Amino acid sequence: MLKFLSPAPLHDPTASSTAATEVKTTTCYMCACRCGIRVHLRDGQVRYIDGNPAHPINQGVICAKGSSGIMKQVSPARLTQPLLRKAGAERGDAEFEPISWDRAFDIVTERLQKIRSTDPKKFALFTGRDQMQALTGLFARQFGTPNYAAHGGFCSVNMAAGMIYTIGGSFWEFGGPDLDHAKLFVMIGTAEDHHSNPMKIALSKFKRKGGRFISINPVRTGYSAIADEWIPIKPGTDGALFMALLHELIGSGLIDRPFLQRFTNAPQLVVLDQGEREGLFAFDPAAGPPGDGRNPHNKLAWDLASGRAVQAYPEGLQEGRQLALEGHYRLPDGTSVAPAFQLLRERVALNTPEWAAEITGIPADRIRQLARELGETALHQAFELPIPWIDAWGQRHESTRARPVAFHAMRGLAAHSNGFQTVRALAILMSLLGTIDAPGGFRHKAPYPRHIVPNYRAFNDPKMVKPNTPLNAAPLGFPASPDELAINDDGTPLRIDHAFSWEHPLAAHGLMHNVITNAVRGDPYTIDTLLIFMANMAWNSTMNTMEVRSKLNERGADGNYKIPFLVVCDAFQSEMVAFADLVLPDTTYLERHDVMSMLDRPISEYDGPVDSVRVPVVEPMGQCKPFQEVLIELASRLKFPAFTHEDGSRKFKDYPDFIVNYQAQPGVGFLMGWRGKDGTEQLRGEPNPRQWEMYAKNNCVFQYHLPQDQQYMRNWNRAYLDFAKDKGWRQKNDPVQLAIYSDTLQSFRLAAQGKTQGRQPPEALRERIATYFDPLPFWYAPLENGCVDTEAYPLSAITQRPMAMYHSWDSQNAWLRQIHSHNYLHVNPVTAQAAGVADGGWCWVTSAWGRVRCMVRYSDAVEPGTVWTWNAIGKGSGAWQLEAGADESRKGFLLNHLITEELPFAGGQISNSDPVTGQAGWYDVRVNIQPADPEEAEQTYPQVAPMRDLPGVLGGAKKVVAYFVNRKS
Ligand code: SF4
């Protein structure tokens, strides 16, 4: 692997140096955690990277990835100039000619201009793990195409949507476990996390203080390795565990009843009579139109003290009221109703620990004990912080009650076709324990909590897709009812990925994983140009990889590619680049400006909002140009209204200028620090021309600490709600009641059952909607189980993200390759031996959709029904400037080859995703394993033809050697 190393000494520490040294601060991007770093330069070249002790996220801590950023900077795989596919060359052959940026811009501008002036939806923009969706989303909206999304649909939209539709916030960027005050911490479905260094710092403190840490996961890797207890669970069954925990907690009374009565919709009365109000909340017409996700504050509750229905808020909160959580009642007009909590109680009645044990593989007694531990810690070890606060209805609380049980969860729950309801079950479990925004429980991070349902409607009006016209709403959002779906009059999808259609109504992050398949099929229509940024759709960012690669090359009867033009913007020679018609070379994170904005994905802390930036610490290599600059340039050339003056002249000189001067609403821009003309305002204020300078001087971060009385209970905290509205984070200052019962989901179900007058799903989708849009959580087996023979494919196959690599980002990194250059399938010895597969031996892993050959390692750290491997270590031969025979391609493999992007459905096919949100069902795949024939080649299968070197690629390991010896070559 390192055969290029020179025999010359790498570094002589005794030699005197006259080199100029300096240290610059910026923000790491070796993963999505966004730690502060110090970049040490000598003669203007990066020599060393360490953590910035003054940064709130990582407090000086740095991980292996972060410190290896230096090798990303000099990676041989770096692209350095725009490239155009050679005339006559096939896509995938990687035959390119270098072109100038002027020509590249001319090509793209001319093409996009034509699309925009005729049929804007023929342009699709999909981006990978970028952190600037406020800009990319704005670009798509101004272009006038609904066909935009980032990577969330194939990452963790179930986590985001399941939590936001229930508690108004979510894990990671928008909230997390308060380990400073927790006594019990349960991590479930999380390996190495997005929130990497902060989680490690918090866990370290938590364990030193004697906190108890339980990890529930099919595999004991990452954080689980330091847990006090590992509880193995079968993939895709977490929802069954939560339902059983709810059964136990409700049955034993270990729940926070006063919290449920005041701060959730648990006491609100649900109509039980059949008809178009069935399953919706009863409401007081005098207090507003029918209550739904957009108007949740006019519902009724049953007051046991007076024996009558009262307005839940504020009447139900008056002194002397006793809101019923249980029972069945009749309203004065004879309507039969029951509190939402009663329905939850009925729902979990049969979800016994024995029932869940069969599904999850966790013994029933352990489930009972876990429920007891959770309930007793939350209720009996509760304590008060001396922080008075006033709730939304004016009641003063003399202290803030801690509920010291914290959870953390991520993709292990989300990446299943049952993930939305699973995540809802977890959020409801956390709510029943009273832990939401309480010390020791789950805490929000600004700008969350959002309204339930958030006040962001996705674009949904087919008539507004018009030539040369921006959309009248952002392409992504949160539907609150069927009326907000992005469908045509005949019910067909408006978007190329079918997001917000009846197939996936709450697809808040889009379905990137279906774009290529749909576009090639022309379903619902063909497109002209697909612009992909930072997503390796020809390899690890796609399901059914080999088939998708061939689709990228598919031609129609006219001989033209079915996706006529493919633009790829990437910093490295990834597998996807080979398929581009036009390649735009991006910079590294050390060469550009970036923002982690409150308009998008900030780095807020529990005690207040935080945003941060990247500033260039070195010049871009070759002709590399930040994608942000490309978008600003294109938006100006295409004369988008938000980017140009009436006379057609550009509003923004470049990306930094755009960031400083663009305002989403008066005084609210991308960055909240040092606002106002003289930089003296914060959070909200006029643009400050010197804002970048101030961030650069202040460790690239702005942090605002809320007063203590606004740091907790923010769903209902009067002072915080007023403050959040004033700063533009929320449209209203009304409280955010937790949705134990979701009338939003019920509104879709009623439509599917034909009980409402408005929009109804196509016949083929009625049963699907009616089943999965259940207003209460429930567990169902992952959808793949219903499509394959689970006896023939008895094992679940999953991936884990390694600590040393973030997806595929670092297989071209000379240091990190030394940690992972290939991967094994990890199998419990009992399972492997039963299949006759030897430790270290080669085996075939087969699903109903494909097969791979790989090497096996025995491991006790995986439950017997699961096999797993590291994510994205396997590479296509020659990609990323790796040698054709590199371990990554000969011994590394991708599980993606086994996973289908579509499942059979109603005589056709449908996305292999959660039916509610469109979250890709990565972890649903079922497989079997068999030993490979000893005569077979000892290399992974499938293999692809080696990718050739691209013009201008930095290339040559000798460059890396030159770096070590400080010689320029
Ligand atoms: S955790 Fe992520 S952001 Fe932080 S130092 Fe490591 S790679 Fe960089």
Side-chain angles (χ1 to χ4, degrees), residues 609-943:
V610 190
D611 65 13
S612 65
V613 302
R614 293 190 184 95
V615 293
V617 297
V618 288
E619 289 294 314
M621 181 177 283
Q623 295 176 42
C624 293
K625 196 180 279 295
F627 186 55
Q628 295 90 326
E629 293 291 2
V630 172
L631 289 182
I632 301 294
E633 180 65 31
L634 287 174
S636 307
R637 286 178 178 230
L638 292 166
K639 306 207 183 304
F640 293 169
F643 291 79
T644 41
H645 297 291
E646 273 183 15
D647 64 1
S649 61
R650 58 192 296 161
K651 276 188 186 166
F652 308 108
K653 180 163 71 75
D654 51 20
Y655 176 69
D657 187 36
F658 167 76
I659 289 299
V660 165
N661 289 308
Y662 179 81
Q663 296 187 71
Q665 48 179 301
V668 177
F670 272 78
L671 293 171
M672 61 185 172
W674 299 283
R675 296 195 69 84
K677 283 217 164 85
D678 56 358
T680 55
E681 292 172 47
Q682 48 195 11
L683 305 179
R684 195 164 188 164
E686 279 187 76
N688 167 15
R690 297 182 57 204
Q691 198 175 26
W692 281 103
E693 207 181 302
M694 297 310 296
Y695 272 84
K697 273 189 195 157
N698 287 278
N699 294 302
C700 293
V701 64
F702 172 78
Q703 181 166 23
Y704 181 87
H705 299 278
L706 291 162
Q708 243 189 355
D709 67 349
Q710 294 181 30
Q711 290 184 13
Y712 297 98
M713 307 300 279
R714 280 164 285 191
N715 290 54
W716 319 275
N717 185 317
R718 170 54 43 226
Y720 176 78
L721 292 167
D722 290 346
F723 178 81
K725 178 169 182 278
D726 183 53
K727 300 307 169 198
W729 305 337
R730 297 197 60 205
Q731 289 173 11
K732 298 186 199 166
N733 62 349
D734 56 340
V736 185
Q737 296 299 99
L738 310 182
I740 305 298
Y741 184 95
S742 173
D743 51 349
T744 295
L745 294 176
Q746 178 67 7
S747 69
F748 285 90
R749 172 182 262 189
L750 287 173
Q753 291 170 337
K755 292 181 177 172
T756 44
Q757 300 299 316
R759 285 171 154 181
Q760 299 198 355
E763 285 309 311
L765 289 164
R766 277 188 191 274
E767 190 185 333
R768 175 176 156 110
I769 297 281
T771 303
Y772 301 114
F773 277 73
D774 194 312
L776 289 165
F778 73 114
W779 179 83
Y780 55 95
L783 298 185
E784 171 152 334
N785 286 18
C787 302
V788 304
D789 178 349
T790 51
E791 287 187 14
Y793 303 103
L795 304 170
S796 294
I798 60 173
T799 57
Q800 307 267 305
R801 184 191 301 144
M803 285 198 181
M805 300 235 178
Y806 193 72
H807 304 305
S808 63
W809 287 10
D810 279 292
S811 284
Q812 31 70 21
N813 187 307
W815 289 352
L816 297 175
R817 281 188 73 205
Q818 296 174 53
I819 300 173
H820 297 284
S821 68
H822 65 283
N823 52 326
Y824 295 92
L825 187 75
H826 298 273
V827 187
N828 189 289
V830 173
T831 311
Q833 285 163 3
V837 177
D839 189 18
W842 288 87
C843 86
W844 283 101
V845 191
T846 308
S847 74
W849 325 106
R851 62 186 202 144
V852 296
R853 184 173 53 213
C854 62
M855 286 189 289
V856 162
R857 272 277 178 250
Y858 286 9
S859 170
D860 287 321
V862 54
E863 69 94 24
T866 302
V867 296
W868 73 275
T869 191
W870 295 122
N871 180 38
I873 299 296
K875 292 283 171 291
S877 182
W880 303 88
Q881 273 286 303
L882 298 171
E883 283 184 347
D887 279 0
E888 282 85 347
S889 57
R890 296 295 169 208
K891 291 159 75 180
F893 73 101
L894 282 185
L895 213 59
N896 306 47
H897 299 298
L898 303 177
I899 304 171
T900 180
E901 84 278 35
E902 294 188 314
L903 292 172
F905 180 79
Q909 59 284 313
I910 199 163
S911 175
N912 179 14
S913 300
D914 189 302
V916 179
T917 60
Q919 155 93 52
W922 290 107
Y923 295 161
D924 286 354
V925 67
R926 306 280 302 197
V927 302
N928 63 39
I929 57 172
Q930 292 166 330
D933 191 317
E935 301 299 312
E936 289 178 35
E938 293 200 334
Q939 67 176 16
T940 50
Y941 174 91
Q943 291 285 321

Side-chain angles (χ1 to χ4, degrees), residues 331-396:
L331 299 180
D333 66 1
T335 305
S336 176
V337 293
F341 184 77
Q342 170 68 29
L343 304 182
L344 178 65
R345 179 183 272 278
E346 291 168 12
R347 166 57 53 87
V348 301
L350 299 178
N351 299 142
T352 62
E354 283 72 18
W355 167 82
E358 283 284 309
I359 297 166
T360 61
I362 303 172
D365 282 349
R366 185 65 196 91
I367 296 174
R368 265 191 204 94
Q369 187 195 339
L370 180 59
R372 213 165 34 244
E373 264 187 277
L374 292 169
E376 288 180 352
T377 310
L379 300 187
H380 301 165
Q381 296 189 47
F383 55 92
E384 304 286 329
L385 293 186
I387 304 172
W389 64 286
I390 296 170
D391 73 23
W393 302 280
Q395 181 174 328
R396 181 179 164 86

Side-chain angles (χ1 to χ4, degrees), residues 267-314:
Q268 294 175 9
L269 298 173
V270 178
V271 174
L272 303 179
D273 297 332
Q274 293 193 356
E276 66 175 5
R277 295 293 306 164
E278 178 184 347
L280 297 177
F281 287 110
F283 70 102
D284 178 0
D292 62 17
R294 298 261 178 254
N295 184 24
H297 302 304
N298 60 351
K299 298 168 187 169
L300 302 178
W302 194 264
D303 176 31
L304 292 169
S306 60
R308 65 181 180 88
V310 294
Q311 271 191 31
Y313 309 101

Side-chain angles (χ1 to χ4, degrees), residues 27-37 49-51 57-58 61-67 192-198 200 589 614 803 806 810:
T27 304
C28 185
Y29 200 16
M30 293 294 284
C31 84
C33 180
R34 302 163 296 177
C35 299
I37 50 172
I49 298 173
D50 63 356
I57 285 275
N58 57 317
V61 173
I62 194 158
C63 75
K65 299 184 294 277
S67 51
E192 171 67 356
D193 192 38
H194 298 82
H195 202 46
S196 183
N197 281 340
K200 288 167 197 155
Y589 67 104
R614 293 190 184 95
M803 285 198 181
Y806 193 72
D810 279 292

Side-chain angles (χ1 to χ4, degrees), residues 59-73:
Q59 301 148 42
V61 173
I62 194 158
C63 75
K65 299 184 294 277
S67 51
S68 302
I70 189 167
M71 299 311 279
K72 176 170 265 181
Q73 187 62 21

